[in-house]
Amino acid sequence: MLTQQMTDRLAQAFWDTLLMVGVSAGIAVLAGVPLAVFLVTSERGGIFPAPRLNRIVGTLVNGFRAVPFIVLLVALIPFTRIVAGTTIGVWAAIVPLAVSATPFFARIAEVSLREVDPGLVEAAQSIGCRRWHIVRHVLLPEALPGIIGGLTITVVTMIGASAMAGAVGAGGLGDVAIRYGYQRFDTTVMLAVIAILIALVCSVQFAGDSVVRRLRAR
């Protein structure tokens, strides 16, 4: 049985995890979508061709994606201290979570943008649409279901990463699992954390799938 104190601690850890993942996901969307648009439109033959810059940005994105989250978490400690003013706690965890999630989400969004029918872009160009209008009114609306699906995958991945960040003092459910479950050999706490994480992931996946279905039905 969980004590009232532990129940309160789990509830606070749950909200801390939601805060970490929610803010980081918001940053990933704000940075990842423009990054994906740039990667698609700046390639050779794109509507904003800049192949050299495209290769440079693509290499940087691939570089950040190649680094395991736990390594990135440690490597970004000096940067995290500058941005958040601390290296422990929820807000400190948001920095590496956002840095890790942005290139991951950008590549998924890029795939969705590339799947847009080129004929739609050509049709928009033929009637004199400006390039930014094509991005706003053709590429993004057509790719939106795939982008939302990619965001769902990204958020689910970030939930797992936030639990991992808890092992190094970031707070949240991972911190409770390590400190009060693993280190104290309390199986009940471990099972409670696992159950909450499973419920959270299933809820996010269900919500994301529902939005995608509605968008595609339109």
Side-chain angles (χ1 to χ4, degrees):
M1 287 289 294
L2 294 173
T3 64
Q4 183 61 46
Q5 183 180 14
M6 182 54 65
T7 301
D8 293 341
R9 187 171 285 119
L10 282 169
Q12 182 60 50
F14 174 76
W15 291 114
D16 287 346
T17 297
L18 286 186
L19 178 62
M20 278 191 286
V21 173
V23 174
S24 302
I27 295 172
V29 170
L30 292 176
V33 170
L35 187 56
V37 170
F38 173 80
L39 290 170
V40 171
T41 59
S42 64
E43 64 183 359
R44 191 179 303 277
I47 59 178
F48 294 103
R52 289 186 179 180
L53 187 57
N54 182 282
R55 286 194 295 270
I56 293 173
V57 174
T59 300
L60 289 174
V61 169
N62 290 337
F64 277 99
R65 285 184 62 205
V67 180
F69 175 73
I70 192 66
V71 176
L72 189 65
L73 181 67
V74 175
L76 288 176
I77 285 177
F79 179 69
T80 300
R81 184 179 289 110
I82 293 172
V83 174
T86 181
T87 58
I88 59 174
V90 173
W91 291 103
I94 288 173
V95 177
L97 275 173
V99 172
S100 175
T102 297
F104 179 81
F105 174 65
R107 283 301 189 188
I108 296 178
E110 179 191 359
V111 172
S112 298
L113 289 166
R114 291 188 186 281
E115 290 177 348
V116 174
D117 186 356
L120 295 175
V121 177
E122 294 173 2
Q125 290 174 325
S126 67
I127 61 176
C129 287
R130 295 182 179 180
R131 292 179 291 182
W132 283 114
H133 287 172
I134 294 174
V135 172
R136 181 178 178 183
H137 298 292
V138 178
L139 288 177
L140 289 176
E142 290 295 322
L144 188 57
I147 291 174
I148 297 299
L151 178 60
T152 303
I153 296 172
T154 303
V155 171
V156 169
T157 302
M158 291 171 68
I159 291 172
S162 70
M164 190 185 306
V168 291
L173 291 168
D175 179 56
V176 171
I178 294 295
R179 285 201 295 161
Y180 299 97
Y182 175 74
Q183 292 180 352
R184 299 186 182 185
F185 304 99
D186 192 332
T187 305
T188 303
V189 173
M190 291 291 291
L191 291 176
V193 171
I194 291 171
I196 294 171
L197 287 172
I198 291 174
L200 183 57
V201 167
C202 290
S203 299
V204 169
Q205 190 67 55
F206 176 79
D209 291 344
S210 298
V211 173
V212 170
R213 282 195 299 269
R214 291 181 182 179
L215 289 172
R216 287 178 175 167
R218 294 179 182 177

